[in-house]
Amino acid sequence: MSDVDRSIAEAPLPTAGTLRRRKNLFYQVTRFVAFNFRMMKMVTRAHH
Amino acid sequence: MARVVILGAGISGHTAALHLQRQLKNKAEIIVVTPNSNWNWIPSNIWVGVGKMTKDQVTFPLAPIYKRKHIGFRQAKAVAIHPEGSPDNPQGFVDIVYTDPTRSGQEEQLTYDYLIVATGPKLNFAATPGLGPDGNSWSVCTAGHAEQSAAALETIIEALKAGERKTLVIGVGHGTCTCEGAAFEYTFNVEHELRERGVRELADVVYLSNEYDLGDLGVGGMTFAQNGFETSSKMWTESLFRERGVRAILRAHVEKVDPGVIHYEELDGSKHTLDFDFAMLLPPFRGVDMKAYANNGDDITDDLFAPNGFLRVDADYAAKPFEEWTPEDWPKTYQCPRYANVFGVGIAFAPPHAISEPRKSPNGTVISPAPPRTGMPSGVMGRTVALSIAERIRRGDQAPLRTASMAAMGAACIASAGTGLRKGSAAAITMYPIIPDRKRFPGSGRDLTQTSGEIGLSGHWTKLLLHYLFIYKAKARFGWFMIPE
């Protein structure tokens, strides 16, 4: 097993709850709003 | 009337053209020279590459847009710049050769008052024998390439459905490639597609990259603050690879691609081969093959362009070790130091050095990513240079130039990991600044409050939203300028 394979094998696996949240429509709508807000803040800075 | 010539109509060149026209209206003649007839929203090519979008959904013809906006359009390739003009006329000009089928091969000299070089990269498949659609691997660099990849992938899926085992290798085809993010996206879109089609179990999906660690992405990796801890993009990305069962080969330089076999060297100098049934390997980039001449006819290509073919701008190109790299090395105005009316933006400007730590194998092979400068930074550069030139045309040559250093700019990167309004996902990343500044931000070199990453369905929605928004903007439809770069 290479170092890279070992490192991947030891990486944290998302829990079932995390995987559900990643697909949950209600939760993802809030993440969509939060991420786009953060992105707009960044874009605003980039334009100065 | 002043004339501004823009070489290239990708994200930076097209953005510059639209902003110049909006700023100057009838005060200047804007001419765009590009060998392609279509504009391409390249970030969505990965969806074309898995058959989820068509070429027509990610491209549109430029000519009608430029006609409507009163921007001159030459479907042609620039072959030489004469920044000092000729012995008879000091006005700079470019030699162009038409690629427009109705005028194919015809030549023209196009004078300019200001020149923006936004030619993007030359896809340097020739750097690796056997690389590319004319060789033994596929690409998603253009919409046409992506369509070919989708057709090849479909053949593999059919074979998997018939019960055959297949190895799919996706990554970069040279030790000095950039755009690892696109390879990452295509890997997980293919993996997603295989699962959706019920054939994942029979497929071995391998990511092959020149990155030292997963999550480097050519920006030296990132650090995120999550749940009270500082998390590296390495661990974050490895987690996704583990979850989705994708193998990775890192620190690799592809030496050649034979039919069904990739030959590569690793950073420790060892040589390996990897058998494959399907390979999508991105090529390294270099500048387009353009020459430059002084007014006496002397070849000044090496003065204007760096050895990698990209245009030298106001960066600090002095060779220095990684430990001495600073954010100040990076260009701010994108003005050519020797000719004040020439600018280079997007991928076409020569970066002072990489962002990721440079590494060589004991055999002297460079195996480390070149710096990415696509997407959002390209658009911001195009707009900034357009505003600088507009200001100079209105107020004269002493008007101050605007700045947009990648060391003072953030970026958002949405790396798709599968499509579908309910089943899609993407890694949504923001980082500030793009170029790490370890004096301002000790440790990672980036602001932890503005550098973040999360995986989920909402990332896919954002990427899809950006697809429609940026195509709307590029078509210069009502209010286009209100959509930021």
Side-chain angles (χ1 to χ4, degrees):
Chain A
M1 189 185 251
S2 73
D3 288 352
V4 177
D5 291 335
R6 195 172 302 114
S7 200
I8 291 173
E10 291 168 0
L13 262 185
T15 60
T18 299
L19 291 175
R20 270 197 309 275
R21 268 197 304 279
R22 287 181 183 173
K23 298 282 178 202
N24 181 283
L25 288 181
F26 297 105
Y27 182 71
Q28 289 301 313
V29 167
T30 65
R31 297 317 304 153
F32 179 78
V33 172
F35 181 80
N36 280 276
F37 177 73
R38 196 182 312 133
M39 191 164 63
M40 282 309 294
K41 242 174 72 181
M42 181 157 289
V43 165
T44 313
R45 278 180 85 147
H47 284 66
H48 292 288
Chain B
M1 187 189 283
R3 177 187 276 179
V4 185
V5 172
I6 301 165
L7 306 180
I11 290 176
S12 59
H14 187 62
T15 302
L18 294 182
H19 279 292
L20 274 166
Q21 191 278 336
R22 179 168 180 265
Q23 289 287 322
L24 295 168
K25 300 275 189 269
N26 301 323
K27 294 190 188 73
E29 182 187 12
I30 318 296
I31 298 178
V32 174
V33 178
T34 175
N36 306 313
S37 59
N38 286 337
W39 191 83
N40 178 201
W41 178 240
I42 292 171
S44 295
N45 284 358
I46 48 126
W47 289 335
V48 178
V50 289
K52 293 297 185 192
M53 276 195 179
T54 64
K55 189 176 166 183
D56 289 345
Q57 285 175 283
V58 300
T59 61
F60 62 81
L62 283 164
I65 312 296
Y66 289 148
K67 188 176 177 193
R68 173 160 52 86
K69 302 306 287 183
H70 307 290
I71 293 170
F73 175 47
R74 308 280 195 279
Q75 193 188 332
K77 184 178 154 186
V79 292
I81 303 177
H82 301 259
E84 298 169 4
S86 62
D88 310 324
N89 182 357
Q91 188 173 22
F93 66 92
V94 287
D95 296 330
I96 66 171
V97 178
Y98 280 85
T99 54
D100 180 340
T102 62
R103 303 178 66 178
S104 184
Q106 286 180 27
E107 297 174 11
E108 186 182 348
Q109 289 187 341
L110 209 51
T111 58
Y112 63 80
D113 295 291
Y114 290 92
L115 179 69
I116 301 178
V117 179
T119 43
K122 172 183 175 179
L123 305 176
N124 194 16
F125 290 108
T128 304
L131 183 71
D134 293 332
N136 304 307
S137 61
W138 303 107
S139 152
V140 291
C141 289
T142 69
H145 287 174
E147 272 194 335
Q148 293 174 331
S149 296
L153 179 63
E154 193 56 40
T155 308
I156 292 292
I157 290 173
E158 289 307 317
L160 288 164
K161 278 183 176 171
E164 296 176 35
R165 292 199 74 85
K166 296 287 177 190
T167 300
L168 296 87
V169 182
I170 299 163
V172 299
H174 194 274
T176 62
C177 279
T178 182
C179 279
E180 288 76 13
F184 169 95
E185 285 188 282
Y186 193 62
T187 302
F188 285 98
N189 270 271
V190 166
E191 196 276 337
H192 178 86
E193 187 62 17
L194 296 174
R195 271 190 291 125
E196 289 292 297
R197 305 281 287 271
V199 292
R200 179 65 180 93
E201 295 305 313
L202 289 169
D204 186 15
V205 181
V206 184
Y207 176 74
L208 175 69
S209 175
N210 56 352
E211 295 158 282
Y212 189 79
D213 287 318
L214 283 176
D216 180 284
L217 299 173
V219 294
M222 286 154 282
T223 302
F224 308 130
Q226 282 179 335
N227 302 322
F229 290 89
E230 289 188 9
T231 308
S232 69
S233 56
K234 172 180 182 285
M235 191 179 81
W236 194 75
T237 313
E238 285 173 347
S239 171
L240 184 65
F241 273 69
R242 184 179 173 197
E243 177 204 333
R244 303 276 286 262
V246 176
R247 280 207 297 136
I249 295 170
L250 301 179
R251 306 158 198 172
H253 159 72
V254 174
E255 292 182 314
K256 67 173 175 171
V257 185
D258 284 336
V261 187
I262 295 167
H263 300 258
Y264 66 95
E265 176 187 345
E266 287 195 354
L267 194 58
D268 62 7
S270 59
K271 309 264 180 144
H272 307 267
T273 59
L274 176 65
D275 293 344
F276 69 89
D277 300 292
F278 172 92
M280 195 298 290
L281 298 172
L282 299 173
F285 293 167
R286 60 169 288 115
V288 299
D289 299 317
M290 215 166 14
K291 306 289 284 183
Y293 297 101
N295 57 4
N296 60 5
D298 283 354
D299 188 330
I300 55 168
T301 306
D302 292 343
D303 293 339
L304 233 67
F305 295 97
N308 56 14
F310 296 119
L311 187 79
R312 292 179 199 273
V313 292
D314 61 321
D316 180 355
Y317 293 108
K320 52 179 112 172
F322 174 68
E323 295 72 26
E324 292 175 22
W325 290 358
T326 69
E328 288 72 37
D329 298 342
W330 288 77
K332 295 178 180 65
T333 65
Y334 303 92
Q335 184 182 40
C336 177
R338 192 160 159 183
Y339 301 101
N341 61 343
V342 177
F343 296 81
V345 293
I347 297 176
F349 87 82
H353 44 65
I355 303 174
S356 302
E357 186 174 347
R359 291 181 169 92
K360 269 186 191 176
S361 77
N363 307 320
T365 310
V366 176
I367 307 180
S368 52
R373 46 212 187 276
T374 51
M376 187 173 160
S378 279
V380 173
M381 285 173 217
R383 177 181 185 269
T384 301
V385 166
L387 297 183
S388 291
I389 291 174
E391 201 81 332
R392 290 210 158 177
I393 288 174
R394 279 194 297 252
R395 292 171 49 193
D397 285 349
Q398 297 314 308
L401 295 173
R402 296 198 176 217
T403 62
S405 168
M406 282 169 63
M409 194 192 295
C413 170
I414 320 293
S416 172
T419 57
L421 283 173
R422 295 289 296 270
K423 292 184 174 176
S425 72
I429 295 167
T430 59
M431 71 176 100
Y432 178 85
I434 300 170
I435 309 299
D437 185 341
R438 290 188 172 80
K439 275 188 191 152
R440 271 181 78 198
F441 305 108
S444 72
R446 295 198 177 94
D447 184 348
L448 285 182
T449 64
Q450 295 195 67
T451 302
S452 68
E454 61 184 272
I455 297 172
L457 176 60
S458 62
H460 174 71
W461 294 340
T462 302
K463 189 168 171 86
L464 197 61
L465 175 72
L466 295 179
H467 166 91
Y468 290 113
L469 269 181
F470 281 112
I471 288 179
Y472 180 93
K473 178 185 168 86
K475 287 183 175 174
R477 292 208 167 129
F478 178 74
W480 66 268
F481 52 86
M482 287 162 54
I483 300 170
E485 281 69 37

